[in-house]
Coordinates of all heavy atoms in Angstrom, one line a residue:
G19 N 97.6 -86.8 5.5 CA 97.4 -86.9 4.0 C 97.7 -85.6 3.3 O 98.0 -84.6 3.9
F20 N 97.5 -85.7 2.1 CA 97.7 -84.5 1.2 C 96.4 -83.7 1.1 O 95.3 -84.3 0.9 CB 98.2 -85.0 -0.2 CG 98.3 -83.9 -1.2 CD1 99.4 -83.0 -1.1 CD2 97.4 -83.7 -2.2 CE1 99.6 -82.0 -2.0 CE2 97.5 -82.7 -3.1 CZ 98.6 -81.9 -3.0
K21 N 96.5 -82.4 1.2 CA 95.3 -81.6 1.0 C 95.7 -80.4 0.1 O 96.7 -79.7 0.3 CB 94.9 -81.0 2.4 CG 93.8 -80.0 2.3 CD 92.4 -80.7 2.3 CE 91.4 -79.6 2.5 NZ 90.1 -80.0 1.9
E22 N 94.9 -80.2 -1.0 CA 95.2 -79.1 -1.9 C 94.2 -77.9 -1.5 O 93.1 -78.1 -1.2 CB 94.9 -79.5 -3.3 CG 95.2 -78.4 -4.3 CD 95.0 -78.9 -5.7 OE1 95.3 -80.1 -6.0 OE2 94.5 -78.1 -6.5
F23 N 94.8 -76.7 -1.4 CA 94.0 -75.6 -1.1 C 94.5 -74.3 -1.7 O 95.7 -74.3 -2.2 CB 93.9 -75.4 0.5 CG 95.2 -75.0 1.1 CD1 95.6 -73.7 1.3 CD2 96.1 -76.0 1.5 CE1 96.8 -73.4 1.8 CE2 97.3 -75.7 2.1 CZ 97.7 -74.4 2.3
M24 N 93.7 -73.3 -1.8 CA 94.1 -72.0 -2.3 C 94.2 -71.0 -1.2 O 93.4 -71.0 -0.3 CB 93.1 -71.5 -3.3 CG 93.5 -70.2 -4.0 SD 92.3 -69.3 -5.0 CE 91.4 -70.5 -5.8
F25 N 95.3 -70.2 -1.2 CA 95.5 -69.2 -0.1 C 95.6 -67.8 -0.7 O 96.2 -67.7 -1.8 CB 96.8 -69.6 0.6 CG 97.2 -68.6 1.6 CD1 96.7 -68.6 2.9 CD2 98.1 -67.6 1.3 CE1 97.0 -67.7 3.9 CE2 98.5 -66.7 2.3 CZ 97.9 -66.7 3.6
W26 N 95.0 -66.9 -0.1 CA 95.1 -65.5 -0.5 C 95.4 -64.7 0.7 O 94.9 -64.8 1.8 CB 93.7 -65.0 -1.1 CG 93.7 -63.6 -1.5 CD1 94.1 -63.1 -2.7 CD2 93.4 -62.5 -0.7 NE1 94.0 -61.7 -2.7 CE2 93.5 -61.3 -1.4 CE3 92.9 -62.3 0.6 CZ2 93.3 -60.0 -1.0 CZ3 92.7 -61.1 1.1 CH2 92.8 -59.9 0.3
G27 N 96.4 -63.8 0.5 CA 96.8 -63.0 1.7 C 97.6 -61.8 1.2 O 98.0 -61.7 0.1
A28 N 97.7 -60.8 2.1 CA 98.5 -59.6 1.9 C 99.5 -59.4 3.0 O 99.1 -59.5 4.2 CB 97.6 -58.4 1.8
F29 N 100.7 -59.2 2.7 CA 101.7 -59.1 3.7 C 102.5 -57.7 3.5 O 102.7 -57.4 2.4 CB 102.8 -60.2 3.7 CG 102.1 -61.5 3.9 CD1 101.8 -62.3 2.8 CD2 101.9 -62.0 5.2 CE1 101.2 -63.6 3.0 CE2 101.3 -63.3 5.4 CZ 101.0 -64.0 4.3
S30 N 102.8 -57.1 4.6 CA 103.6 -55.8 4.5 C 104.6 -55.8 5.6 O 104.5 -56.6 6.5 CB 102.6 -54.6 4.5 OG 102.0 -54.5 5.7
Y31 N 105.4 -54.8 5.6 CA 106.4 -54.7 6.7 C 105.7 -54.5 8.0 O 104.9 -53.6 8.2 CB 107.3 -53.5 6.4 CG 108.4 -53.3 7.4 CD1 109.5 -54.2 7.4 CD2 108.3 -52.4 8.4 CE1 110.5 -54.1 8.4 CE2 109.3 -52.2 9.3 CZ 110.4 -53.1 9.3 OH 111.4 -52.9 10.2
D32 N 106.0 -55.3 9.0 CA 105.6 -55.2 10.4 C 104.1 -55.5 10.6 O 103.5 -55.1 11.6 CB 105.9 -53.8 10.9 CG 106.3 -53.8 12.4 OD1 106.7 -54.9 12.8 OD2 106.3 -52.8 13.0
K33 N 103.4 -56.0 9.6 CA 102.0 -56.3 9.8 C 101.6 -57.5 8.8 O 102.0 -57.5 7.7 CB 101.1 -55.1 9.5 CG 99.6 -55.3 9.6 CD 98.9 -54.1 9.3 CE 97.4 -54.4 9.5 NZ 96.5 -53.3 9.1
K34 N 100.7 -58.4 9.3 CA 100.2 -59.4 8.5 C 98.8 -59.0 8.1 O 98.0 -58.7 9.0 CB 100.2 -60.8 9.2 CG 101.6 -61.3 9.4 CD 101.5 -62.6 10.0 CE 103.0 -63.1 10.3 NZ 103.0 -64.3 11.1
G35 N 98.5 -59.0 6.8 CA 97.2 -58.5 6.3 C 96.1 -59.5 6.4 O 96.3 -60.6 6.9
P36 N 95.0 -59.2 5.8 CA 93.8 -60.2 5.8 C 94.2 -61.4 5.0 O 94.7 -61.3 3.9 CB 92.7 -59.4 5.2 CG 93.4 -58.3 4.4 CD 94.7 -58.0 5.1
C37 N 93.9 -62.6 5.5 CA 94.2 -63.8 4.9 C 92.9 -64.7 4.8 O 92.0 -64.6 5.6 CB 95.2 -64.6 5.6 SG 96.7 -63.7 5.8
H38 N 92.8 -65.5 3.8 CA 91.6 -66.4 3.6 C 92.1 -67.6 2.9 O 92.8 -67.6 1.9 CB 90.5 -65.7 2.8 CG 89.3 -66.5 2.7 ND1 88.4 -66.6 3.7 CD2 88.8 -67.3 1.7 CE1 87.4 -67.4 3.4 NE2 87.7 -67.9 2.2
I39 N 91.7 -68.8 3.5 CA 92.0 -70.1 2.8 C 90.6 -70.7 2.4 O 89.7 -70.8 3.2 CB 92.7 -71.0 3.8 CG1 94.0 -70.4 4.2 CG2 92.8 -72.4 3.2 CD1 94.8 -71.2 5.2
W40 N 90.5 -70.9 1.1 CA 89.3 -71.5 0.6 C 89.2 -73.0 0.9 O 90.2 -73.7 0.7 CB 89.2 -71.3 -1.0 CG 88.7 -70.0 -1.4 CD1 87.5 -69.6 -1.7 CD2 89.5 -68.8 -1.5 NE1 87.4 -68.3 -2.0 CE2 88.7 -67.8 -1.9 CE3 90.9 -68.5 -1.3 CZ2 89.1 -66.5 -2.1 CZ3 91.3 -67.2 -1.6 CH2 90.4 -66.2 -2.0
K41 N 88.0 -73.5 1.3 CA 87.8 -74.9 1.5 C 87.6 -75.6 0.2 O 87.2 -74.9 -0.8 CB 86.6 -75.1 2.4 CG 86.9 -74.5 3.8 CD 85.7 -74.8 4.7 CE 85.9 -74.1 6.1 NZ 84.8 -74.2 6.9
S42 N 87.7 -76.9 0.1 CA 87.4 -77.7 -1.1 C 86.0 -77.5 -1.4 O 85.1 -77.5 -0.6 CB 87.8 -79.1 -0.8 OG 89.1 -79.3 -0.6
E43 N 85.7 -77.5 -2.8 CA 84.4 -77.4 -3.3 C 83.7 -78.8 -3.1 O 84.2 -79.8 -3.5 CB 84.4 -77.0 -4.7 CG 83.1 -76.7 -5.4 CD 83.3 -76.3 -6.8 OE1 84.1 -76.9 -7.5 OE2 82.6 -75.3 -7.2
T44 N 82.4 -78.8 -2.6 CA 81.7 -80.0 -2.5 C 81.0 -80.3 -3.8 O 80.9 -79.5 -4.7 CB 80.6 -79.9 -1.4 OG1 79.7 -78.9 -1.8 CG2 81.2 -79.5 0.0
A45 N 80.5 -81.5 -3.9 CA 79.8 -81.9 -5.2 C 78.6 -81.1 -5.4 O 78.3 -80.7 -6.5 CB 79.5 -83.4 -5.1
A46 N 77.9 -80.8 -4.3 CA 76.7 -79.9 -4.5 C 77.0 -78.5 -5.0 O 76.3 -78.0 -5.8 CB 75.9 -79.9 -3.1
E47 N 78.1 -78.0 -4.4 CA 78.6 -76.7 -4.9 C 79.0 -76.7 -6.3 O 78.7 -75.7 -7.1 CB 79.7 -76.2 -4.0 CG 79.3 -75.8 -2.6 CD 80.5 -75.5 -1.7 OE1 81.6 -76.0 -2.0 OE2 80.3 -74.7 -0.7
A48 N 79.7 -77.8 -6.7 CA 80.1 -77.9 -8.1 C 78.9 -78.0 -9.1 O 78.8 -77.3 -10.1 CB 81.0 -79.1 -8.3
R49 N 77.9 -78.8 -8.7 CA 76.6 -78.9 -9.5 C 75.9 -77.5 -9.6 O 75.5 -77.1 -10.6 CB 75.7 -79.9 -8.9 CG 76.1 -81.3 -9.2 CD 75.0 -82.3 -8.9 NE 74.6 -82.3 -7.5 CZ 75.2 -83.0 -6.5 NH1 76.2 -83.8 -6.8 NH2 74.8 -82.8 -5.2
A50 N 75.9 -76.8 -8.4 CA 75.2 -75.5 -8.4 C 76.0 -74.5 -9.3 O 75.4 -73.7 -10.0 CB 75.2 -74.9 -7.0
G51 N 77.3 -74.6 -9.3 CA 78.1 -73.7 -10.2 C 77.9 -74.0 -11.7 O 77.7 -73.1 -12.5
V52 N 77.8 -75.3 -12.0 CA 77.5 -75.6 -13.4 C 76.1 -75.2 -13.8 O 75.9 -74.6 -14.9 CB 77.6 -77.2 -13.6 CG1 77.1 -77.6 -15.0 CG2 79.1 -77.6 -13.5
I53 N 75.1 -75.3 -12.9 CA 73.8 -74.8 -13.2 C 73.8 -73.3 -13.4 O 73.1 -72.8 -14.3 CB 72.8 -75.3 -12.1 CG1 72.6 -76.8 -12.2 CG2 71.5 -74.6 -12.2 CD1 71.9 -77.4 -11.0
D54 N 74.5 -72.6 -12.6 CA 74.6 -71.2 -12.6 C 75.2 -70.7 -14.0 O 74.7 -69.8 -14.6 CB 75.3 -70.6 -11.5 CG 75.5 -69.1 -11.5 OD1 74.4 -68.4 -11.7 OD2 76.6 -68.6 -11.4
I55 N 76.3 -71.3 -14.3 CA 77.0 -71.0 -15.6 C 76.1 -71.3 -16.8 O 76.0 -70.5 -17.7 CB 78.3 -71.7 -15.7 CG1 79.3 -71.0 -14.7 CG2 78.9 -71.6 -17.1 CD1 80.6 -71.7 -14.6
N56 N 75.4 -72.4 -16.8 CA 74.5 -72.7 -17.9 C 73.3 -71.7 -18.0 O 72.9 -71.3 -19.1 CB 73.9 -74.2 -17.7 CG 75.0 -75.2 -17.9 OD1 76.0 -75.0 -18.6 ND2 74.7 -76.4 -17.4
A57 N 72.8 -71.3 -16.8 CA 71.8 -70.3 -16.8 C 72.3 -68.9 -17.4 O 71.6 -68.3 -18.2 CB 71.2 -70.1 -15.4
R58 N 73.5 -68.6 -17.0 CA 74.1 -67.3 -17.5 C 74.3 -67.4 -19.0 O 74.1 -66.4 -19.7 CB 75.4 -67.0 -16.8 CG 75.3 -66.6 -15.4 CD 76.6 -66.5 -14.7 NE 76.5 -66.3 -13.3 CZ 77.0 -65.2 -12.7 NH1 77.6 -64.3 -13.4 NH2 76.9 -65.1 -11.4
N59 N 74.8 -68.6 -19.5 CA 75.0 -68.7 -20.9 C 73.7 -68.7 -21.7 O 73.6 -68.1 -22.8 CB 75.7 -70.1 -21.2 CG 77.2 -70.0 -20.9 OD1 77.8 -68.9 -20.8 ND2 77.8 -71.1 -20.6
A60 N 72.7 -69.3 -21.2 CA 71.4 -69.3 -21.8 C 70.8 -67.9 -21.9 O 70.2 -67.5 -22.9 CB 70.4 -70.2 -21.1
A61 N 71.0 -67.1 -20.9 CA 70.5 -65.7 -20.8 C 71.3 -64.8 -21.9 O 70.7 -63.9 -22.4 CB 70.7 -65.1 -19.4
R62 N 72.5 -65.1 -22.1 CA 73.2 -64.2 -23.0 C 73.5 -64.8 -24.4 O 74.1 -64.1 -25.3 CB 74.6 -63.8 -22.4 CG 75.6 -64.9 -22.2 CD 76.8 -64.4 -21.6 NE 77.6 -63.6 -22.5 CZ 78.6 -62.9 -22.2 NH1 79.0 -62.8 -20.9 NH2 79.2 -62.1 -23.0
E63 N 73.1 -66.0 -24.7 CA 73.3 -66.6 -26.0 C 72.7 -65.8 -27.1 O 73.3 -65.7 -28.2 CB 72.9 -68.1 -26.0 CG 73.2 -68.8 -27.3 CD 72.9 -70.2 -27.3 OE1 72.3 -70.7 -26.4 OE2 73.3 -70.9 -28.3
A64 N 71.5 -65.4 -27.0 CA 70.8 -64.6 -28.1 C 71.6 -63.4 -28.5 O 71.8 -63.1 -29.7 CB 69.4 -64.3 -27.7
T65 N 72.1 -62.6 -27.5 CA 72.8 -61.4 -27.8 C 74.2 -61.7 -28.4 O 74.6 -61.1 -29.3 CB 73.0 -60.5 -26.6 OG1 73.6 -61.2 -25.5 CG2 71.6 -60.0 -26.1
D66 N 74.8 -62.8 -27.9 CA 76.1 -63.2 -28.4 C 76.0 -63.6 -29.8 O 76.8 -63.3 -30.7 CB 76.7 -64.3 -27.6 CG 77.2 -63.8 -26.2 OD1 77.4 -62.6 -26.0 OD2 77.4 -64.7 -25.3
K67 N 74.9 -64.4 -30.1 CA 74.6 -64.8 -31.5 C 74.4 -63.7 -32.4 O 74.9 -63.7 -33.6 CB 73.5 -65.8 -31.5 CG 73.3 -66.4 -32.9 CD 72.2 -67.5 -32.9 CE 72.0 -68.1 -34.3 NZ 71.0 -69.1 -34.3
A68 N 73.6 -62.7 -32.0 CA 73.4 -61.5 -32.8 C 74.7 -60.7 -33.1 O 74.9 -60.3 -34.3 CB 72.4 -60.6 -32.1
V69 N 75.5 -60.6 -32.2 CA 76.8 -59.9 -32.4 C 77.7 -60.8 -33.4 O 78.3 -60.2 -34.3 CB 77.6 -59.8 -31.1 CG1 79.0 -59.3 -31.3 CG2 76.9 -58.8 -30.2
W70 N 77.7 -62.1 -33.2 CA 78.4 -63.0 -34.1 C 77.9 -62.9 -35.5 O 78.7 -62.8 -36.4 CB 78.4 -64.4 -33.5 CG 79.0 -65.4 -34.4 CD1 80.4 -65.7 -34.4 CD2 78.4 -66.3 -35.4 NE1 80.6 -66.7 -35.3 CE2 79.4 -67.1 -35.9 CE3 77.1 -66.5 -35.8 CZ2 79.2 -68.0 -36.9 CZ3 76.8 -67.4 -36.7 CH2 77.9 -68.2 -37.3
E71 N 76.6 -62.9 -35.7 CA 76.0 -62.8 -37.0 C 76.3 -61.5 -37.7 O 76.6 -61.5 -38.9 CB 74.5 -63.0 -36.9 CG 74.1 -64.5 -36.6 CD 72.6 -64.6 -36.4 OE1 71.9 -63.6 -36.1 OE2 72.1 -65.8 -36.6
A72 N 76.3 -60.4 -36.9 CA 76.7 -59.1 -37.5 C 78.1 -59.2 -38.0 O 78.4 -58.7 -39.1 CB 76.5 -58.0 -36.5
K73 N 79.0 -59.7 -37.2 CA 80.4 -59.8 -37.6 C 80.6 -60.7 -38.8 O 81.4 -60.4 -39.7 CB 81.3 -60.3 -36.4 CG 81.5 -59.4 -35.3 CD 82.4 -60.0 -34.3 CE 82.6 -59.1 -33.1 NZ 83.4 -59.7 -32.0
E74 N 79.9 -61.9 -38.8 CA 80.0 -62.8 -39.9 C 79.4 -62.2 -41.2 O 80.0 -62.4 -42.3 CB 79.2 -64.1 -39.6 CG 80.0 -65.1 -38.8 CD 81.3 -65.5 -39.4 OE1 81.2 -65.9 -40.6 OE2 82.3 -65.5 -38.8
L75 N 78.4 -61.5 -41.1 CA 77.8 -60.8 -42.3 C 78.8 -59.9 -42.9 O 79.0 -59.9 -44.1 CB 76.5 -60.1 -41.9 CG 75.8 -59.4 -43.1 CD1 75.3 -60.5 -44.1 CD2 74.6 -58.7 -42.6
K76 N 79.4 -59.0 -42.1 CA 80.4 -58.1 -42.6 C 81.6 -58.9 -43.2 O 82.1 -58.5 -44.3 CB 80.9 -57.2 -41.4 CG 82.0 -56.3 -41.7 CD 81.6 -55.2 -42.7 CE 82.8 -54.3 -42.9 NZ 83.0 -53.9 -44.3
R77 N 82.0 -59.9 -42.5 CA 83.2 -60.7 -43.0 C 82.8 -61.4 -44.3 O 83.6 -61.4 -45.2 CB 83.6 -61.7 -41.9 CG 84.9 -62.4 -42.2 CD 85.3 -63.2 -41.0 NE 84.5 -64.4 -40.9 CZ 84.8 -65.5 -41.5 NH1 85.8 -65.6 -42.4 NH2 84.0 -66.6 -41.3
Q78 N 81.6 -61.9 -44.4 CA 81.2 -62.6 -45.6 C 81.1 -61.6 -46.8 O 81.5 -61.9 -47.9 CB 79.9 -63.3 -45.4 CG 80.0 -64.5 -44.6 CD 78.6 -65.1 -44.3 OE1 77.6 -64.7 -44.9 NE2 78.5 -66.0 -43.3
E79 N 80.6 -60.4 -46.5 CA 80.5 -59.4 -47.6 C 81.9 -59.1 -48.1 O 82.1 -59.0 -49.3 CB 79.8 -58.1 -47.1 CG 78.3 -58.3 -46.8 CD 77.7 -57.1 -46.1 OE1 78.5 -56.2 -45.7 OE2 76.5 -57.1 -46.0
D80 N 82.8 -58.9 -47.2 CA 84.2 -58.6 -47.6 C 84.8 -59.8 -48.4 O 85.5 -59.6 -49.4 CB 85.1 -58.3 -46.4 CG 84.7 -57.0 -45.8 OD1 83.9 -56.2 -46.4 OD2 85.1 -56.8 -44.6
F81 N 84.5 -61.0 -48.0 CA 85.0 -62.2 -48.6 C 84.5 -62.4 -49.9 O 85.2 -62.8 -50.9 CB 84.8 -63.4 -47.7 CG 85.5 -64.6 -48.1 CD1 86.8 -64.9 -47.8 CD2 84.8 -65.6 -48.9 CE1 87.4 -66.0 -48.2 CE2 85.4 -66.7 -49.3 CZ 86.8 -66.9 -49.0
F82 N 83.1 -62.2 -50.1 CA 82.5 -62.5 -51.4 C 82.9 -61.6 -52.5 O 82.7 -61.8 -53.7 CB 81.0 -62.5 -51.2 CG 80.5 -63.8 -50.6 CD1 79.6 -63.7 -49.5 CD2 80.8 -65.0 -51.1 CE1 79.2 -64.9 -48.9 CE2 80.4 -66.2 -50.5 CZ 79.5 -66.1 -49.4
I83 N 83.4 -60.4 -52.1 CA 84.0 -59.5 -53.1 C 85.1 -60.2 -53.8 O 85.3 -60.1 -55.0 CB 84.4 -58.2 -52.5 CG1 83.2 -57.4 -51.9 CG2 85.2 -57.3 -53.4 CD1 83.5 -56.2 -51.1
K84 N 85.9 -61.0 -53.1 CA 87.1 -61.6 -53.7 C 86.9 -63.0 -54.2 O 87.4 -63.4 -55.2 CB 88.2 -61.7 -52.6 CG 88.7 -60.3 -52.2 CD 89.8 -60.5 -51.1 CE 90.1 -59.1 -50.5 NZ 91.0 -59.3 -49.4
H85 N 86.0 -63.7 -53.5 CA 85.8 -65.2 -53.9 C 84.3 -65.4 -54.1 O 83.4 -64.8 -53.5 CB 86.3 -66.0 -52.7 CG 87.7 -65.7 -52.4 ND1 88.8 -66.1 -53.1 CD2 88.2 -65.1 -51.3 CE1 89.9 -65.7 -52.6 NE2 89.6 -65.1 -51.4
K86 N 84.0 -66.5 -54.8 CA 82.6 -66.8 -55.1 C 82.0 -67.8 -54.1 O 80.9 -67.6 -53.7 CB 82.5 -67.3 -56.5 CG 82.9 -66.3 -57.6 CD 81.9 -65.2 -57.7 CE 82.3 -64.3 -58.7 NZ 81.6 -63.0 -58.7
R87 N 82.7 -68.8 -53.8 CA 82.1 -69.9 -53.0 C 82.8 -70.0 -51.6 O 84.0 -69.8 -51.5 CB 82.2 -71.2 -53.7 CG 81.4 -71.3 -54.9 CD 81.4 -72.7 -55.4 NE 81.1 -72.7 -56.8 CZ 81.3 -73.7 -57.6 NH1 81.8 -74.8 -57.2 NH2 81.1 -73.6 -58.9
R88 N 82.1 -70.5 -50.7 CA 82.7 -70.7 -49.4 C 81.7 -71.5 -48.5 O 80.5 -71.4 -48.6 CB 82.9 -69.4 -48.8 CG 83.2 -69.4 -47.4 CD 83.7 -68.0 -46.9 NE 84.0 -68.3 -45.5 CZ 83.5 -67.7 -44.5 NH1 82.7 -66.7 -44.7 NH2 83.7 -68.1 -43.3
R89 N 82.2 -72.3 -47.6 CA 81.3 -73.0 -46.7 C 80.8 -72.1 -45.7 O 81.4 -71.2 -45.1 CB 82.2 -74.1 -45.9 CG 81.4 -75.0 -45.1 CD 82.3 -76.2 -44.6 NE 83.5 -75.7 -44.0 CZ 83.8 -75.8 -42.7 NH1 83.0 -76.3 -41.9 NH2 85.0 -75.3 -42.3
R90 N 79.5 -72.2 -45.4 CA 78.8 -71.3 -44.5 C 79.2 -71.6 -43.0 O 79.3 -72.8 -42.6 CB 77.3 -71.5 -44.6 CG 76.7 -71.0 -45.9 CD 77.0 -69.6 -46.0 NE 75.9 -68.9 -46.6 CZ 76.1 -67.7 -47.2 NH1 77.3 -67.2 -47.2 NH2 75.1 -67.1 -47.7
P91 N 79.5 -70.6 -42.2 CA 79.8 -70.8 -40.8 C 78.6 -71.2 -40.0 O 77.5 -70.9 -40.3 CB 80.3 -69.4 -40.4 CG 79.7 -68.4 -41.3 CD 79.5 -69.2 -42.6
V92 N 78.9 -72.0 -39.0 CA 77.8 -72.5 -38.1 C 78.0 -71.9 -36.7 O 79.1 -71.8 -36.2 CB 77.9 -74.0 -38.0 CG1 76.9 -74.6 -37.1 CG2 77.8 -74.7 -39.4
W93 N 76.9 -71.4 -36.1 CA 76.9 -70.8 -34.8 C 77.1 -71.9 -33.7 O 76.5 -72.9 -33.7 CB 75.6 -70.1 -34.5 CG 75.4 -69.8 -33.1 CD1 74.5 -70.4 -32.2 CD2 76.0 -68.8 -32.3 NE1 74.6 -69.8 -31.0 CE2 75.5 -68.8 -31.0 CE3 77.0 -67.9 -32.6 CZ2 76.0 -68.0 -30.0 CZ3 77.5 -67.1 -31.6 CH2 77.0 -67.1 -30.3
R94 N 78.1 -71.6 -32.9 CA 78.3 -72.4 -31.7 C 78.6 -71.5 -30.5 O 79.5 -70.6 -30.7 CB 79.5 -73.4 -31.9 CG 79.2 -74.5 -32.8 CD 80.4 -75.5 -32.9 NE 80.1 -76.5 -33.9 CZ 80.5 -76.4 -35.2 NH1 81.1 -75.3 -35.6 NH2 80.2 -77.4 -36.0
H95 N 77.9 -71.6 -29.4 CA 78.2 -70.7 -28.3 C 79.4 -71.2 -27.5 O 79.3 -72.1 -26.6 CB 76.9 -70.7 -27.4 CG 76.8 -69.5 -26.5 ND1 76.1 -69.5 -25.4 CD2 77.4 -68.3 -26.6 CE1 76.3 -68.3 -24.8 NE2 77.0 -67.6 -25.6
T96 N 80.5 -70.7 -27.8 CA 81.8 -71.1 -27.2 C 82.4 -69.9 -26.4 O 81.8 -68.8 -26.5 CB 82.8 -71.6 -28.2 OG1 83.0 -70.4 -29.1 CG2 82.3 -72.7 -29.1
E97 N 83.5 -70.2 -25.8 CA 84.1 -69.1 -25.0 C 84.6 -68.0 -25.9 O 84.5 -66.8 -25.6 CB 85.4 -69.7 -24.3 CG 86.1 -68.7 -23.4 CD 87.2 -69.3 -22.6 OE1 87.7 -70.4 -23.0 OE2 87.7 -68.6 -21.7
K98 N 85.0 -68.3 -27.2 CA 85.4 -67.3 -28.1 C 84.2 -66.4 -28.5 O 84.4 -65.2 -28.8 CB 85.9 -68.0 -29.4 CG 86.3 -67.1 -30.5 CD 86.8 -67.9 -31.7 CE 87.1 -67.0 -32.9 NZ 87.4 -67.7 -34.0
N99 N 83.0 -66.9 -28.5 CA 81.8 -66.1 -28.8 C 81.1 -65.6 -27.6 O 79.9 -65.1 -27.7 CB 80.8 -67.0 -29.6 CG 81.3 -67.3 -31.0 OD1 82.1 -66.5 -31.5 ND2 81.0 -68.5 -31.5
G100 N 81.7 -65.7 -26.4 CA 81.1 -65.0 -25.2 C 80.5 -65.9 -24.1 O 80.0 -65.5 -23.1
A101 N 80.6 -67.2 -24.3 CA 80.0 -68.1 -23.3 C 81.0 -68.2 -22.1 O 82.2 -68.1 -22.3 CB 79.8 -69.5 -23.9
H102 N 80.4 -68.4 -21.0 CA 81.2 -68.7 -19.8 C 81.6 -70.2 -19.7 O 80.7 -71.0 -20.0 CB 80.4 -68.3 -18.5 CG 80.1 -66.9 -18.4 ND1 81.0 -65.9 -18.2 CD2 78.9 -66.3 -18.5 CE1 80.3 -64.7 -18.2 NE2 79.1 -64.9 -18.4
V103 N 82.8 -70.5 -19.5 CA 83.3 -71.9 -19.5 C 84.0 -72.2 -18.2 O 84.8 -71.4 -17.7 CB 84.2 -72.1 -20.7 CG1 84.7 -73.5 -20.8 CG2 83.5 -71.7 -22.0
V104 N 83.7 -73.4 -17.7 CA 84.4 -73.9 -16.5 C 85.7 -74.6 -17.0 O 85.7 -75.5 -17.8 CB 83.6 -74.9 -15.7 CG1 84.4 -75.5 -14.6 CG2 82.3 -74.3 -15.3
K105 N 86.8 -74.1 -16.5 CA 88.1 -74.7 -16.9 C 88.6 -75.5 -15.8 O 88.5 -75.2 -14.6 CB 89.1 -73.5 -17.2 CG 88.7 -72.7 -18.4 CD 89.7 -71.7 -18.7 CE 89.3 -70.9 -19.9 NZ 90.2 -69.8 -20.2
K106 N 89.2 -76.7 -16.1 CA 89.7 -77.6 -15.1 C 91.1 -77.3 -14.8 O 91.9 -76.8 -15.5 CB 89.6 -79.0 -15.6 CG 88.2 -79.3 -16.0 CD 87.6 -80.4 -15.1 CE 86.2 -80.6 -15.5 NZ 85.3 -81.2 -14.7

């Protein structure tokens, strides 16, 4: 059958370097990875939000000089704002 895998290796002239083939991730490992990423995101969300709010405040001050009204931005902890994200 078909098996998908990742291979890492180093090759040079006259010598084969260290090689490693990763095994498929089990469901338990995938769940543990998601739990770990969620814990890391929870730990850093407050600092990421503080940085975002500081940037937004500066941007809003600059914007309000030119314009009077504007929709208020809403905080979302995304990859753009520093969250770790699992990509498929």
Side-chain angles (χ1 to χ4, degrees):
F20 177 75
K21 174 86 171 153
E22 184 176 321
F23 65 92
M24 184 188 323
F25 176 82
W26 177 88
F29 300 95
S30 63
Y31 182 75
D32 217 18
K33 181 181 179 186
K34 292 182 183 172
C37 301
H38 184 77
I39 297 177
W40 279 265
K41 295 180 182 176
S42 298
E43 185 177 45
T44 64
E47 290 172 334
R49 281 191 302 272
V52 170
I53 290 169
D54 179 51
I55 287 176
N56 290 339
R58 289 173 188 240
N59 284 337
R62 67 180 291 169
E63 183 174 7
T65 56
D66 290 342
K67 185 175 182 180
V69 169
W70 177 82
E71 286 174 341
K73 286 180 184 178
E74 278 300 312
L75 183 62
K76 174 68 175 136
R77 192 171 72 83
Q78 287 175 11
E79 288 171 354
D80 294 343
F81 187 83
F82 283 127
I83 292 171
K84 297 177 186 174
H85 307 287
K86 297 290 182 197
R87 292 188 208 167
R88 166 169 185 240
R89 187 170 49 110
R90 292 302 217 198
V92 177
W93 165 252
R94 289 186 183 89
H95 201 205
T96 61
E97 185 177 14
K98 180 180 173 185
N99 293 328
H102 299 290
V103 178
V104 177
K105 296 182 181 179
K106 304 247 178 195

